[in-house]
């Protein structure tokens, strides 16, 4: 199927071909015609599927097909809500990229930066606002934004917005925007909370779903490396150094863990930065820019900070620690292998995390191959302290001191992948 057959205008097709896309992704094939018809839509899709272009292209088209009539400041006609600043910035970048041959104006609004430049842009009049809920409501409170003419509302990563506690903010926004509007809701999962939100909000929505496991199973090569907790950092440095990886996104479970790992990598001579919710917006943007430009090799991130990070052809994702929630694993590895590019995701898994691994394998409906490096074999005498799964289990109790003092690190584990074990035993009785 071609982009031309989807009913998009010549200016949008030009922007798509400028970007180098030859074919619409499955979600784009399904979503674009429905949105152009004016239907409400519930899209089961996550980052990496092309969903941003899937809603941005038809949204832009609908705005140009129904131009703002009348004099005076142009009103906000499309509102896109996202859970994080990074995602807001990236969605806005897409709005600008795909709308580059159009004469629409847009602004991105998020917290952590001065509110005044955002106000200046709003005063001049914009057609499209991409925002995180909290800062948007600040503008509402200060009367610097008028949402009474919104025709299209997009809730991007709605499940994550609810996870992050934005439900009250979202409900406030819903009370402000007109009742009559087109609503597009995207979510990786459809929990009861999401369904409840959608029920009150949408009229006979079209449902489209891109199988969640596609990203995980098709384009990303996954592997588990069993290793003791206290030796993970050593193995990670050896992998990065030994394979000469230049761009690696590494996930930790906690902000503190991200900081500590980034510092330790620095001591190993590997340039890195940590991004997480406690970092200022400036620091996060800088770290991401340095990572994209190749000035730092490793970006250590927590799940929330990494949402929506969009780097074309990111080759390596490492789970330094498995996430507490199995769905987050799919989000994490969705950072690589995007839109058909080959990617590699590896997970350093210690004995405490075997239950989490099992949950992940159940979710993606396959066993992940397990490779133990010589010299890094887990010490069988270490007793597991299982990590609580689920979103409530972020905090841990007492921790065993790190470092098992076993063996000597090899500086280059490449070529030592000689002990391939089936994950069948480890996965137990499924
Ligand atoms: P998203 O799921 O919106 O985060 O998009 C994931 C990545 O796919 C982004 O890097 C997009 O630039 C890219 N992308 C979106 N649509 C296409 C397409 N039709 N062909 C190739 N790449 C695409």
């Amino acid at each position: 199927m071609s982009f031309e057959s989807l009913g998009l205008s010549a200016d949008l097709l030009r922007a798509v071909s400028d970007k180098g896309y030859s074919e619409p992704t499955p979600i784009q094939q399904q979503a674009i015609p429905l949105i152009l018809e004016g239907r409400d839509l519930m899209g089961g899709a996550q980052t990496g599927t092309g969903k941003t272009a899937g809603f941005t292209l038809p949204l832009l088209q609908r705005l140009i097909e129904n131009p703002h009539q009348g004099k005076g400041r142009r009103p906000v006609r499309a509102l896109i809500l996202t859970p994080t600043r990074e995602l807001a910035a990236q969605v806005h970048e897409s709005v600008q990229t795909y709308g580059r041959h159009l004469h629409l104006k847009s602004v991105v609004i998020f917290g952590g930066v001065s509110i005044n430049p955002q106000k200046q842009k709003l005063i001049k009049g914009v057609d499209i606002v991409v925002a995180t809920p909290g800062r948007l409501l600040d503008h509402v409170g200060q009367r610097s934004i008028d949402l009474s003419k919104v025709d299209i509302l997009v809730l991007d990563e709605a499940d994550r917005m609810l996870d992050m506690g934005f439900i009250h903010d979202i409900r406030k926004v819903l009370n402000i925007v007109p009742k009559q509007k087109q609503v597009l809701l995207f979510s990786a999962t459809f929990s009861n909370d999401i369904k409840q939100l959608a029920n009150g909000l949408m009229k006979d929505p079209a449902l489209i779903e891109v199988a969640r496991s596609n990203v995980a199973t098709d384009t990303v090569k996954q592997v588990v490396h069993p290793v003791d907790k206290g030796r993970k950092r050593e193995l990670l440095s050896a992998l990065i150094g030994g394979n000469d990886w230049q761009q690696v996104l590494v996930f930790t479970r906690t902000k503190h863990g991200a900081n500590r790992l980034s510092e330790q990598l620095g001591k190993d001579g590997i340039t890195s930065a940590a991004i997480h919710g406690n970092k200022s917006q400036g620091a996060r943007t800088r770290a991401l820019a340095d990572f994209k430009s190749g000035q730092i090799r490793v970006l250590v991130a927590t799940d929330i900070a990494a949402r929506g990070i969009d780097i074309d052809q990111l080759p390596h994702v490492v789970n330094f620690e498995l996430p507490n929630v199995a769905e987050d694993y799919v989000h994490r590895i969705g950072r690589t292998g995007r839109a058909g590019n080959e990617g590699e995701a590896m997970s350093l898994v210690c004995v405490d995390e075997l239950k989490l691994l099992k949950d992940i394998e159940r979710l993606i409906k396959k066993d992940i191959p397990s490779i133990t490096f010589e010299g890094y074999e887990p010490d069988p005498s270490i007793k597991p302290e299982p990590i609580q799964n689920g979103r409530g289990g972020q905090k841990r109790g007492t921790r065993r001191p790190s470092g098992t003092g076993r063996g000597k690190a090899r500086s280059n584990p490449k070529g030592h992948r000689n002990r391939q074990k089936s994950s069948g035993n480890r996965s137990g009785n499924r």
Side-chain angles (χ1 to χ4, degrees):
M1 186 187 266
S2 68
F3 272 105
E4 283 73 13
S5 64
L6 293 176
L8 294 169
S9 74
D11 285 334
L12 288 169
L13 291 175
R14 197 141 57 97
V16 165
S17 95
D18 293 345
K19 213 33 195 144
Y21 304 159
S22 51
E23 230 194 311
T25 64
I27 188 134
Q28 291 163 3
Q29 292 177 19
Q30 295 176 65
I32 292 174
L34 288 166
I35 299 173
L36 289 177
E37 274 174 34
R39 290 280 303 270
D40 281 358
L41 180 82
M42 263 177 97
Q46 59 202 13
T47 318
T49 54
K51 76 175 156 69
T52 316
F55 67 75
T56 306
L57 288 165
L59 177 148
L60 292 168
Q61 172 127 341
R62 283 185 63 76
L63 292 179
I64 47 171
E65 277 174 355
N66 307 294
H68 161 57
Q69 306 290 351
K71 297 209 167 61
R73 190 166 73 177
R74 48 177 93 202
V76 178
R77 290 185 295 142
L79 174 63
I80 305 172
L81 289 181
T82 75
T84 63
R85 301 159 183 180
E86 280 78 11
L87 189 61
Q90 279 167 18
V91 169
H92 186 240
E93 215 176 289
S94 294
V95 166
Q96 290 181 313
T97 304
Y98 302 128
R100 59 192 292 208
H101 303 298
L102 311 175
H103 299 285
L104 293 168
K105 292 204 178 331
S106 60
V107 67
V108 60
I109 282 178
F110 50 69
V113 294
S114 165
I115 198 165
N116 289 327
Q118 298 172 358
K119 282 186 179 170
Q120 310 271 308
K121 289 201 180 118
L122 287 167
I123 284 168
K124 289 189 192 139
V126 292
D127 304 280
I128 305 154
V129 171
V130 185
T132 53
R135 178 54 72 86
L136 180 71
L137 287 173
D138 291 343
H139 281 283
V140 170
Q142 297 184 25
R143 297 185 191 282
S144 45
I145 194 165
D146 175 3
L147 297 175
S148 65
K149 300 283 190 301
V150 168
D151 283 332
I152 309 176
L153 172 70
V154 182
L155 301 176
D156 194 11
E157 302 202 352
D159 50 346
R160 189 50 64 123
M161 286 202 269
L162 298 196
D163 285 346
M164 290 171 71
F166 284 137
I167 186 67
H168 298 297
D169 286 353
I170 292 173
R171 292 218 180 275
K172 278 186 200 154
V173 174
L174 296 179
N175 280 333
I176 301 166
V177 294
K179 286 267 168 299
Q180 270 296 334
K181 63 192 169 304
Q182 183 177 18
V183 182
L184 314 173
L185 181 150
F186 291 88
S187 187
T189 52
F190 288 116
S191 63
N192 288 339
D193 286 347
I194 294 282
K195 286 185 195 144
Q196 209 181 340
L197 176 70
N199 280 343
L201 184 63
M202 306 171 94
K203 292 165 289 293
D204 183 27
L207 276 176
I208 54 177
E209 197 148 11
V210 177
R212 177 191 304 139
S213 55
N214 274 1
V215 178
T217 52
D218 294 350
T219 54
V220 182
K221 199 172 131 214
Q222 300 165 70
V223 63
V224 161
H225 297 308
V227 58
D228 289 333
K229 185 165 62 187
R231 302 200 61 209
K232 284 186 176 186
R233 197 268 308 146
E234 204 183 325
L235 177 58
L236 178 64
S237 291
L239 281 166
I240 294 170
N243 292 294
D244 199 26
W245 290 341
Q246 294 303 323
Q247 199 179 41
V248 193
L249 178 60
V250 177
F251 285 94
T252 59
R253 262 194 304 269
T254 64
K255 300 169 195 174
H256 177 62
N259 283 341
R260 202 176 40 198
L261 180 61
S262 178
E263 277 165 28
Q264 288 171 334
L265 288 173
K267 287 182 189 149
D268 290 342
I270 295 170
T271 50
S272 77
I275 60 166
H276 51 67
N278 286 0
K279 294 262 175 179
S280 71
Q281 185 55 37
R284 285 154 76 167
T285 309
R286 210 161 38 243
L288 194 56
D290 287 349
F291 184 58
K292 281 189 179 185
S293 71
Q295 283 193 48
I296 55 169
R297 286 166 82 178
V298 180
L299 194 63
V300 188
T302 56
D303 289 285
I304 286 181
R307 285 296 283 197
I309 287 180
D310 181 10
I311 300 161
D312 284 339
Q313 305 187 22
L314 179 61
H316 304 286
V317 167
V318 177
N319 294 305
F320 187 76
E321 293 157 333
L322 288 181
N324 301 61
V325 178
E327 276 86 4
D328 285 343
Y329 173 83
V330 183
H331 287 303
R332 287 178 177 192
I333 73 165
R335 311 295 92 204
T336 179
R338 303 189 129 202
N341 293 315
E342 276 268 305
E344 196 175 16
M346 62 191 61
S347 303
L348 309 186
V349 177
C350 70
V351 66
D352 301 347
E353 298 172 304
L354 295 182
K355 166 84 175 67
L356 299 181
L357 179 61
K358 212 162 145 181
D359 291 344
I360 289 164
E361 291 181 325
R362 192 175 298 131
L363 176 74
I364 64 172
K365 297 195 176 70
K366 68 175 197 177
D367 288 351
I368 305 170
S370 171
I371 296 173
T372 306
F373 287 116
E374 203 179 307
Y376 289 90
E377 296 87 348
D379 177 349
S381 70
I382 295 178
K383 295 262 177 311
E385 291 177 13
I387 294 158
Q388 208 185 329
N389 56 359
R391 297 213 186 275
Q394 311 282 352
K395 293 228 164 18
R396 299 207 51 203
T398 50
R399 284 175 161 256
R400 180 191 316 121
S402 62
T404 62
R406 291 185 72 249
K408 177 112 182 75
R410 287 174 189 273
S411 58
N412 181 2
K414 195 179 178 184
H416 291 276
R417 299 180 171 198
N418 54 352
R419 300 223 349 200
Q420 178 130 18
K421 289 181 188 168
S422 148
S423 61
N425 297 339
R426 179 172 41 67
S427 301
N429 52 6
R430 272 182 300 120

